Amino acid sequence: MRAPVRGVISIARVALIQVLRRKTYWILLGMGLAQFIMFWSVIYAVTQLQLPAPVQQNILREFGFSAQMDEQRDNGYMVFMERQSVVVLILLAFSGSLLVGSDFRQRTLPFYLSRRIGKRHYIAGKLLAVSSLILFLTVLPALALFVEYGAFTSGWSYWRESWRIPIAVLAYGGVLCLVNSVWLVSLSAYLQRAAPIAITWSSLLIMPGRLGDYLWKASDNEYWRLLDPWRDMRLIGQLFFGKFRKDFDRGLAWWALTLIAALTIVAFIALVRRVRAVDVVE
Amino acid sequence: MLLDLQKISRQFGSVQALREVTLQLETGTIGLVGNNGAGKSTLLKILLGLLPPSSGTGTILGFDIRQTGLQLRGRIGYMPEAAATVPLLKGVEYVALSGDLYGMPFRDARRRAHEVLNYCGLGELRYRRLDEYSAGNLQRLKLAAALVHDPELLLLDEPTNGLDPAGRMSMLRLLEDLIAETGKSLILCTHLLKDVERLCKQVVVLHQGTIAKSGPIDEMTRAAENRFEVHWRDASSEFLPRFRSSGGTVLHQEVPSDATALVALPETWQAKQLFELAAQCGTVITRLREDDEDLERLFMRLTAKETKGTQELTA
């Protein structure tokens, strides 16, 4: 008999099978892939093609891409992950109901929880499934781009000088996986149906940002911008990449980290309470 | 010994779901019956190791119910009452997932999934998605998912619920075959007492959190041999007291003034002695019928106060 913790992997594997069986989700996965190919092409163009320097600069500026940690522009890998996050947002908005909501709606939880796993394994399995989706769309392609850039530059200097990049990609990816998976699974456990989840998920991630922008402009107080969860996650990412657009953002990043951590803890507690409330035997 | 529970109680706030339940059951087929709120669900949760009792001790399949929930569930096959389907999965994947979650290695789970699906008559449907399964086939699929790891004990929660008559008969036949061929122990939790009579050798009747009766169904019906339903008129006030003083028992009388009662005669008596006693008391027995008490009537009698008007039990 395998350890119950292996059930976590089984739950995540089945959840990914469910997502891959929905044809509409392939469109979103295709969008993510298209973006990856675009960045891949940019790296190929600037490293392999003999383009005039101004053209190269234009291409890089257009994509906001920099392969280094210490330049004025945003790090290209982080820009890529951020752009992929839009695809992730849409994908998660529609998969919450399938992956988690249906377990509550169709009373599938008794099936899971009457097996040789506990409620914590079920929660971990679902979080792992959502995290895997995020990982496939953000972290793995970002690392592939890093490897591509390193492979296309001659010598070992890029690898030596940029050793922090893959660590930062993994750390930022970890934040995206953890935060988004806990928020989505928790929201889906309560709302269960696709439309309410999609509307609420999108609203939670977009509306506070707009409100924060409005309040920021009206009061000239930068802290209002912390209301934007995507921006908060980006600020946390910048902590790992070590480069901020403004010095003020560095201080703000720690506030963002505190805020996102608090919200994630609250969402996790709500999720645990929701799962614990399920009666296996009805 | 299948299970041994000693003074198990469970309290939810001010509600006492189980009160000092003591129960020993040997391996075999057992029906667990009771009205809504009798404590069946709580007992099932304790049997599955999902809920610790507030007090009391016990073992199931030799496992301590307080400390070995996960191990215990690895030895029990549970078929939930709920639909419990996983969208977009195929039948074989669903059963293999069940095996995975029971702790089987992936390949073994997959291989066993094919075997049990064939056994449950779903071989042809195993590559269909779950949303294409009929209610009857879905019940069979859930049974296959409970059987995949070859458990020592099957715990079936309303396995024929929601099935049409043909589907119900088919499911019962499958369960009968399963019991006959594998000799597995089975606890059947249902409101359909006819299903219990057909499948089970023993029954446990729960009532208001306590065991109202438990034992072999055969013995319970054998005990009915000396029981009669008596109707009379011109009853003198002496008739029932004298009957009792002769060693007879009035098992059930709706209202004390009723001229109808279910009685158990003293062991040495036959019906003739009852007529003689009635004649001595100036009472005329107008009808005497051997009590052919089946499980349904036994259940109604044991839970009489609460089951008045509860029609689903007689379905």
Side-chain angles (χ1 to χ4, degrees), chain B residues 139-157:
Chain B
Q139 291 298 87
R140 285 169 173 262
L141 185 77
K142 281 167 21 187
L143 178 65
L147 278 172
V148 67
H149 60 309
D150 197 19
E152 291 169 54
L153 169 65
L154 269 175
L155 226 158
L156 311 182
D157 196 358

Side-chain angles (χ1 to χ4, degrees), chain A residues 71-85:
Chain A
E71 293 190 5
Q72 286 305 307
R73 284 160 298 185
D74 280 345
N75 182 282
Y77 305 109
M78 194 178 155
V79 171
F80 169 75
M81 289 171 78
E82 240 189 299
R83 289 191 188 175
Q84 289 291 79
S85 298

